[in-house]
Structures are given as C-alpha cells and as structure tokens.
Amino acid sequence: MDLSLNVNGRPEQFAAQPNELLVERLRDGLGLTGTKVGCDTGQCGTCVVQLDGRSVKSCLILTAAAAGSAVTTIEGVTTPGGELSVLQEALRQEHGTQCGFCTPGMVMALGELVDSVLNNEAADREAPTEPEIREWLTGNLCRCTGYHSVVRGVQRACSAARAQVPVEQAAAASGQEG
C-alpha cells in the first residue's frame, strides 16, 4: 500500500506492507537509526518517537496506522543549526546518559513532558517534580543511570527553558552543580 508520513518535517511517500511496524519504516526504510529496537514488545521504550506530538512506542504501531501523521524521531529534535535541544543539553550536563542505548527513547518521551510544562500558563510551575518525572519514565528502561541524573536533567531543562537562559545558567541560578 502507498503511504505518506511527515518525518522530522519532511514529507515521505513510500510503499509499505500491511504488517510493517513504524520502527521498521523509520530504521530500515528511512535510515533513522536513532530510534532503537530493544524488546519488540513495548516494554523497554527504546523505540519511542513522537506521533503528532505524543510520545508513542513505534514497535507497537503499524506504519499504516500512522499514515498521514507527523513523526518526530531523535534525529528531528536538534536545533536547525545542529545544536542539542535544551533537554538533550541538560541531560548531557547532568550526566543523564551512560551507554546511550535508551537515551533517544527517553528524550522523545521526556520531550513531551517538558513541552507540556512549558506550554502550561502557570508561571510558578517551572519544573515537574521528581515523582512526576519518574512516573513519566515508567515506560523507559535504563540499566545504567538509576534515573537520578535524568530527573535532574529534566528539571534543569524546564528551568532553563522557562527562564529563557542557557542550561548552564539555569543550573547556577538554582544552585545545582553540573
């Protein structure tokens, strides 16, 4: 069947089998290998992408079901100049990555959380709480970090974005060390 997707801001048209998974189209069909295949059962979160702005596990979605949608992969979250996003930079500075296998899925899932906080009109809501972040991460498994540095990275990213300052200044302003 002939399908189309908007992937990282680019229109893509292709033929797909009815049983093709979105993760297969992204990795094998479009060469976007930042989206990982971990468990093939939706348990680990390494395949998370954003589908029309919502984080989803691409190993559980048929490509045909996503037809006509906007898909953002980890390759699509850097700035137009190629710099890391605020969340990616905050995770880097807080040492929120270790081996990196789970990182793309976490960035895609947490990106939705960060966006929801930043789009909230309440000015006093600068960062999600640690329990909120940990709840958001329940679908993403990491064997390396213990999630402590990931939580700090998300809070740092939200503070930096809210204050419209570089991530480094957000850490200094809040008394955190990088």
Side-chain angles (χ1 to χ4, degrees), residues 7-9 32 48-50 71-89 91 103-112 115:
V7 181
N8 298 329
L32 299 171
V48 173
V49 298
Q50 288 188 1
V71 177
T72 305
T73 68
I74 191 67
E75 291 90 349
V77 299
T78 56
T79 68
E83 297 89 22
L84 297 176
S85 70
V86 171
L87 177 57
Q88 288 172 306
E89 180 60 24
L91 289 172
T103 304
M106 280 194 185
V107 169
M108 299 312 299
L110 291 168
E112 183 184 355
D115 288 346

Side-chain angles (χ1 to χ4, degrees), residues 59-169:
C59 75
L60 297 179
I61 296 180
L62 293 173
T63 304
S69 297
V71 177
T72 305
T73 68
I74 191 67
E75 291 90 349
V77 299
T78 56
T79 68
E83 297 89 22
L84 297 176
S85 70
V86 171
L87 177 57
Q88 288 172 306
E89 180 60 24
L91 289 172
R92 185 191 71 78
Q93 288 190 13
E94 291 293 341
H95 308 286
T97 62
Q98 295 291 314
C99 79
F101 192 78
C102 66
T103 304
M106 280 194 185
V107 169
M108 299 312 299
L110 291 168
E112 183 184 355
L113 173 63
V114 171
D115 288 346
S116 73
V117 169
L118 297 180
N119 293 330
N120 184 341
E121 296 300 320
D124 61 340
R125 176 93 164 103
E126 289 196 17
T129 64
E130 181 175 342
E132 288 173 309
I133 297 167
R134 287 183 180 277
E135 176 69 24
W136 203 268
L137 283 170
T138 57
N140 294 84
L141 299 178
C142 176
R143 294 174 157 243
C144 302
T145 67
Y147 304 101
H148 304 297
S149 53
V150 174
V151 169
R152 286 191 313 269
V154 172
Q155 291 173 327
R156 188 172 184 169
C158 288
S159 295
R162 275 287 201 181
Q164 296 182 347
V165 298
V167 174
E168 300 85 358
Q169 289 179 7

Side-chain angles (χ1 to χ4, degrees), residues 1 3 8-9 11 14 17 23-24 38 41 44 47 54 56 72 81 86 90 103 108-109 118 123 148-149 164 167 176:
M1 67 179 89
L3 301 174
N8 298 329
F14 48 86
Q17 294 298 315
V23 70
E24 295 169 334
T41 61
C44 71
C47 68
R54 303 279 310 200
V56 298
T72 305
V86 171
T103 304
M108 299 312 299
L118 297 180
H148 304 297
S149 53
Q164 296 182 347
V167 174
Q176 296 176 359

